[in-house]
Amino acid sequence: MTGNPFGLPLDVLFEMAARINKKRSFLFVSKILGKHIPVHPHVSLLGGAALALLLQNRLQGSPVIGLDDMIQAFVEPDTAKDKYEALRTNPLEVEEPLLFIAFAETATALGHSMYSFFKGQTRFLHTTREIVAGMTPVLEFEEEHSHATAHRCYARQATFFNGTERVVLVDDEITTGNTSLNIIRDLHSKHPRSHYVIASLLDWRSASDKARFANLEKELGITIECLSLLQGEIRVSGGPIELERPQLDVWPGHQDMPVRRHYIGRYFEPARAQTMIAERSVHEESYMRDTGRFGMDALHQQELEEQLARAGQYIRSLRTGNRTLCMGTGEFMYIPMRLASEMGEGVSYQSSTRSPIYPHRQQGYGIQNVFSFDSMDCRGTLNFFYNVPLDTYDELFVFIERAAGDEQEASFLDACRLTGIPVIHIVYGDQ
């Protein structure tokens, strides 16, 4: 460990697990993100708040007021809601324009949450793995170690990336930093600026990795700063696990149980686009405007918060149990996380993912069980969700940005039923 300025216990931040991936054999399974492990939704939102306070401190050169108290909620989740709302009512003012870019799929909510705590001249966009036909990516770059390597950046406004303001790149962790270096190269070749910040919960770069950052700074004549809650170096022994798919833990399901469907599109602004659903097949999709996939500004964020409050009140009225699991899907994380935060007590949040991870029943291991399904967007591609114990939840709310149709959703609904959770709600954002 080379840096732990807030004295955070490691087991509060993450657990370890084995990837099923030839390129990288290990995974830090975050207990903050709300991705693989279900967490209090306000704890996940405070992950973004912690990074926002770190950035504000760096920009103003003053002590991080309230950060120690904020991250204490990671240790005491019952305090997270009050701390989140206190910062929401006193957002951080920026003295210079800022452009935030979050990495799909894991950091879309982390980056959006970080962005949401600022007011002033700010913009936000998250990268996507999707191919949106009819739109040309403004940026394209690779994440070499990922299960799906390609990142794309789309923007409704052609001028979205214009300017010279500081760019804040947000990821859940930096292991080698290759992904950040790749996007900086592409962005700088098209829309150069002098200052980049990389914000992450964890920073595991080695000395040689940091040297590559310094080399790129010198080559391009730029400054790259890295902010994180924890810094260290890792040593890896053993090789990757190579399986076609992880072995499933299947609970006694409710195969004939009806699924309750709800539509919240009336609360949100839509954004229509065409999406490639097969190599030569194009289909018009109704996205939600302010997920961050197509870029947004401070006014859009203000409108989104008002929409979330109204939609959250409606979703809360649908609850029938005291122990509720809310689940985002893939990149669609921030809006479901915020809706979960509006639903009252007894709510946990996590998201599905395209990353295959080896499950193992052992205390302290990050992935205890797994449920797999065919991707609703890309046939033949497995997706997963993890860590849903038997007899833990009264109901499940799944949030899907746009309906895929009964055939495409059948495999996912079967996986939901196999959890044994007795009541399942599917909430669509596009109708």
Side-chain angles (χ1 to χ4, degrees):
M1 195 64 53
T2 59
N4 186 2
F6 307 104
L8 286 168
L10 298 189
D11 60 0
V12 167
L13 292 175
F14 64 85
E15 294 176 338
M16 297 299 298
R19 292 176 184 260
I20 303 175
N21 187 321
K22 296 179 181 180
K23 302 170 186 175
R24 182 172 292 174
S25 60
F26 60 92
L27 179 69
F28 295 94
V29 185
S30 177
K31 300 172 80 170
I32 306 299
L33 282 175
K35 189 64 174 176
H36 308 96
I37 295 177
V39 298
H40 192 302
H42 288 100
V43 167
S44 288
L45 293 165
L46 288 181
L51 295 184
L53 287 166
L54 279 176
L55 177 61
Q56 185 75 344
N57 174 62
R58 184 64 60 89
L59 295 176
Q60 295 187 351
S62 58
V64 186
I65 300 173
L67 181 53
D68 285 347
D69 185 55
M70 192 70 62
I71 63 178
Q72 184 62 25
F74 300 161
V75 181
E76 302 173 359
D78 288 345
T79 67
K81 180 180 179 181
D82 290 343
K83 293 174 180 179
Y84 170 79
E85 292 180 347
L87 189 56
R88 287 289 306 160
T89 58
N90 294 282
L92 306 170
E93 292 196 42
V94 296
E95 297 177 353
E96 61 177 84
L98 294 173
L99 170 59
F100 293 81
I101 304 174
F103 292 141
E105 72 178 8
T106 309
T108 56
L110 178 68
H112 201 151
S113 178
M114 180 185 183
Y115 166 73
S116 73
F117 290 102
F118 289 94
K119 68 176 181 178
Q121 291 182 274
T122 61
R123 289 172 288 160
F124 171 74
L125 179 142
H126 74 69
T127 71
T128 183
R129 313 301 185 132
E130 294 193 22
I131 299 174
V132 182
M135 294 186 71
T136 301
V138 182
L139 304 175
E140 291 185 85
F141 62 99
E142 295 292 315
E143 183 180 9
E144 288 90 345
H145 69 268
S146 177
H147 189 65
T149 61
H151 283 262
R152 303 171 183 89
C153 292
Y154 298 97
R156 287 191 303 271
Q157 296 178 333
T159 60
F160 185 83
F161 287 98
N162 290 357
T164 59
E165 72 270 64
R166 193 182 311 245
V167 172
V168 183
L169 304 173
V170 188
D171 209 348
D172 56 311
E173 69 176 64
I174 312 173
T175 307
T176 65
N178 284 340
T179 306
S180 298
L181 296 181
N182 289 345
I183 190 175
I184 288 172
R185 280 190 177 279
D186 193 33
L187 178 57
H188 198 79
S189 69
K190 299 168 182 173
H191 304 281
R193 51 255 292 157
S194 61
H195 206 129
Y196 298 84
V197 176
I198 303 171
S200 63
L201 298 175
L202 309 174
D203 182 350
W204 301 118
R205 290 174 301 147
S206 66
S208 61
D209 295 326
K210 292 175 182 177
R212 288 187 297 106
F213 275 64
N215 290 338
L216 187 64
E217 287 181 295
K218 184 177 180 180
E219 175 189 340
L220 300 181
I222 61 175
T223 300
I224 305 174
E225 294 185 83
C226 294
L227 307 174
S228 62
L229 298 181
L230 188 72
Q231 306 88 40
E233 293 189 17
I234 55 176
R235 293 185 179 91
V236 180
S237 61
I241 295 174
E242 298 184 26
L243 300 173
E244 291 186 4
R245 61 193 296 169
Q247 183 176 353
L248 307 184
D249 261 345
V250 177
W251 305 127
H254 299 260
Q255 294 303 308
D256 298 326
M257 180 183 61
V259 172
R260 305 176 186 182
R261 289 178 165 84
H262 316 282
Y263 301 91
I264 58 173
R266 63 187 180 274
Y267 295 103
F268 297 94
E269 290 293 325
R272 296 196 174 275
Q274 292 181 321
T275 302
M276 297 293 294
I277 59 174
E279 187 174 348
R280 296 184 178 180
S281 178
V282 178
H283 177 69
E284 184 174 78
E285 298 281 6
S286 179
Y287 292 86
M288 302 175 77
R289 186 190 71 178
D290 294 326
T291 60
R293 185 184 287 105
F294 302 112
M296 58 191 296
D297 58 22
L299 178 58
H300 287 146
Q301 181 63 31
Q302 180 181 342
E303 292 171 351
L304 175 62
E305 292 298 332
E306 295 168 356
Q307 295 160 9
L308 286 165
R310 293 191 294 269
Q313 185 176 13
Y314 167 65
I315 297 297
R316 182 171 182 168
S317 72
L318 302 174
R319 290 186 66 184
T320 59
N322 296 318
R323 304 174 302 166
T324 299
L325 176 62
C326 292
M327 186 182 297
T329 43
E331 300 171 1
F332 185 49
M333 290 182 65
Y334 178 75
I335 288 176
M337 182 184 293
R338 280 287 290 109
L339 290 173
S341 75
E342 298 282 340
M343 291 173 61
E345 300 298 323
V347 176
S348 297
Y349 175 81
Q350 68 181 105
S351 176
S352 68
T353 175
R354 64 174 66 207
S355 299
I357 310 169
Y358 182 76
H360 181 58
R361 292 287 187 82
Q362 179 179 317
Q363 186 175 359
Y365 184 78
I367 301 296
Q368 296 288 311
N369 66 0
V370 55
F371 300 86
S372 71
F373 59 95
D374 291 325
S375 169
M376 289 176 279
D377 301 318
C378 183
R379 289 188 182 183
T381 300
L382 283 177
N383 280 197
F384 310 89
F385 58 89
Y386 299 96
N387 293 318
V388 182
L390 185 64
D391 296 331
T392 301
Y393 303 107
D394 302 319
E395 60 187 343
L396 169 65
F397 281 81
V398 177
F399 296 88
I400 300 175
E401 183 177 1
R402 54 198 185 279
D406 292 345
E407 183 178 353
Q408 287 83 3
E409 294 175 7
S411 176
F412 178 65
L413 295 181
D414 287 343
C416 291
R417 291 185 175 106
L418 289 175
T419 64
I421 299 175
V423 179
I424 298 174
H425 304 261
I426 306 295
V427 181
Y428 299 100
D430 64 340
Q431 297 184 39

